[in-house]
Every structure is written in structure tokens, then in C-alpha cells.
Amino acid sequence: MKFDLHCHTTCSDGQLSPEALVQRAVEKGIDVLAITDHDVLAAYQAAKAHIDREALALTLLPGVEVSCKWHAFEIHVVGLGVNPEHPPLVAFLQGQRDSRDERALEIGRRLEKANIPNAYQGARAIAGTASISRSHYAQYLVQIGKANSVANVFKKYLARGKTGYVPSNWCSIEQACAAIVDAGGVPVLAHPGSYNMTARWLRELIQTFKAAGGIAMEVAQPQQSPTDRQQLALYCEQYGLLASAGSDFHYPSAWTELGRNLQLPMRCKPVWQHWPQWADISQ
Ligand code: AMP
Ligand code: MN
Ligand code: MN
Ligand code: MN
């Protein structure tokens, strides 16, 4: 069976609608998909309704990706299998989006001072009804020719320490895990290989996450070396965590695809074993 437990839609900074995303997941042979938009659950209902209407052979696991502050880092915690209508979780995520909206305004002011007027309006137009993320700013800055790629906008303007970087008032790892568990979900440490931290910090992060009630960690991500994947599998074993697999898909491109290259190493206990219907599936 094929699982992809991390991806995005237009409800946050992804570029496919919830309907188009689940359609694509079926085309890519995925059996179980979790949509994990940034700090919002809105895609679930729309995607589920589409699956039912079209009788698609796809199981949708409700999900979310929560932004957290930990020391000087921004850490992401994915919640899998949460009840998308759990009122405390819904309220908690609204608070996160309020912080996001405040930060978006401040990013706009900073860019204005750096002689890039109307960036907030530009990002707003791209985000549509979603909360503005840095990706929306990055897309706008590419549009007006400030850089030739989204990655370069991050390097020049939006990464930590650059003109347009504004630290946000994100929740703690403990608060994110508690909110996810309270809503019946499984907290998963997202893309541990992409925080740009030393191995020592990473081990400290994993310990903090585990102590906060964390259950699993993403081990398989599409653009990672076999050695890095093995290392993460080893950490799972050492710290008693289940292993998850997710593409973090945001849009179709030559480098990014749903479900691609997500094989878990043999030693891993997959996170889906947490649910009785998939308890015996090793891959
Ligand atoms: P935010 O949640 O608003 O802080 O935005 C973070 C999002 O920006 C991530 O979820 C990615 O989708 C995207 N992102 C972060 N860093 C980069 C980067 N270096 N290049 C391209 N996209 C990035
Ligand atoms: Mn994103
Ligand atoms: Mn993330
Ligand atoms: Mn993500």
C-alpha cells in the first residue's frame, strides 16, 4: 500500500485545490493520503466530499502541520488523524493563523522599507482566501522580478536574518503536541532533516518532542540521501518513535510529486500501524 502523509493545497501554500490534489493522488497510485496544510484544516471537508462524490479509491486521513517556536528555530509538527471538527483544535489553529496574519502585515511593512511597495497586496492576491505564508510573498517577488526563483527569494529576503524575515508568535512544541493529542491525533515531527541544525541540536529536538508526547517522526522524504534516511530511521529506533513518510508536495514540478520515493527503511515501525486497519502493513 502507498501512503503519503504530508502535502498541501490552496487552503495554505499549496497550488492545487483540495479536489485537484486528491484526484492527482489517485492518479499517482496513492492509497492513503493526509493533507497537512499549515495551521488549517479546511481542505479536509472539501477533499472528502470530492472523494465521496467521485467514489475515488483513496482513504483520506485528516491532518495539519503546526508551526512551532523552539529556541531560534521554527519547527513543524504534523498532526495525523485529528478530528477536524474538534473545537479546541479549531480555536487553537485560529490563534496560529491570527499570528500568521499579523506577521504577514509586518513582512509587508519591512519589504516596503526595502523599496518593494505593495508586496502585502501582491501576496494577498496570490493567497486568495488562505492565510498568507512566506511562499506567497516569494511567489509575488518572483512575479515582479526581484529574484528568478522562490528559493532565491528566500535566500535574499525571507530566510532568518534577511530584510523580510519576521519572527512569528508560534506556539511551543508542547502546545502543538497537546492540541493534536487532545483532538485524537498523532503528533509527528516534520522533516527533521531540513532545520539546518547540528546533529546535537537535532537530538535535543527529538528528545524535547518525545517528552512533549510526540509519537512519530518523518523518516522518508523525497529529496534526501539514503544515508540521511537511514540516520533518521536510527533516531526513531533510539528514541522510540514511529516512522512517517510524506512528500511535502506543494505543486507539480519536475522535482516534486505526490508519493514519489517514500520507502521507509526496513528497521522502521510505520506510523500507520497506530491505526488498527493498517496495523499489519509494513510498507
Ligand atoms: P511560513 O509557514 O509562512 O513561514 O512559510 C514557510 C513555507 O515556505 C514552507 O512551508 C515552504 O513551503 C516554503 N519554504 C520555506 N523555505 C523555503 C525555501 N528555502 N525555498 C522554497 N520554499 C521555502
Ligand atoms: Mn509550505
Ligand atoms: Mn514544513
Ligand atoms: Mn509541509
Side-chain angles (χ1 to χ4, degrees), residues 52-212:
D52 292 346
R53 211 167 34 235
E54 303 292 318
L56 301 181
L58 178 70
T59 301
L60 193 64
L61 197 58
V64 66
E65 181 174 16
V66 180
S67 298
C68 308
K69 193 161 67 178
W70 185 70
H71 299 278
F73 301 102
E74 286 187 26
I75 304 300
H76 290 175
V77 174
V78 159
L80 295 178
V82 289
N83 171 1
E85 289 168 28
H86 188 66
L89 178 63
V90 169
F92 172 78
L93 294 176
Q94 183 60 55
Q96 290 275 103
R97 295 200 299 281
D98 291 345
S99 301
R100 199 172 262 289
D101 295 344
E102 270 174 44
R103 182 192 62 161
L105 285 166
E106 183 57 23
I107 294 176
R109 286 191 281 267
R110 300 256 181 119
L111 291 174
E112 191 115 30
K113 279 191 199 148
N115 279 325
I116 307 176
N118 304 320
Y120 177 80
Q121 287 79 356
R124 177 78 277 156
I126 292 171
T129 54
S131 284
I132 295 176
S133 109
R134 281 184 291 166
S135 322
H136 299 118
Y137 270 107
Q139 287 169 56
Y140 178 67
L141 266 58
V142 170
Q143 235 176 55
I144 60 168
K146 291 289 171 187
N148 57 9
S149 71
V150 160
N152 282 334
V153 177
F154 270 89
K155 266 190 211 151
K156 246 169 114 175
Y157 297 102
L158 297 176
R160 184 147 47 109
K162 304 294 172 182
T163 333
Y165 180 77
V166 179
S168 190
N169 193 23
W170 302 130
C171 65
S172 66
I173 290 176
E174 289 77 10
Q175 287 170 318
C177 288
I180 290 165
V181 169
D182 191 38
V186 171
V188 183
L189 182 60
H191 42 65
S194 57
Y195 296 121
N196 228 341
M197 53 175 65
T198 60
R200 196 183 169 142
W201 272 108
L202 183 53
R203 282 198 299 269
E204 169 109 21
L205 170 62
I206 296 170
Q207 273 168 327
T208 301
F209 174 71
K210 174 84 183 175

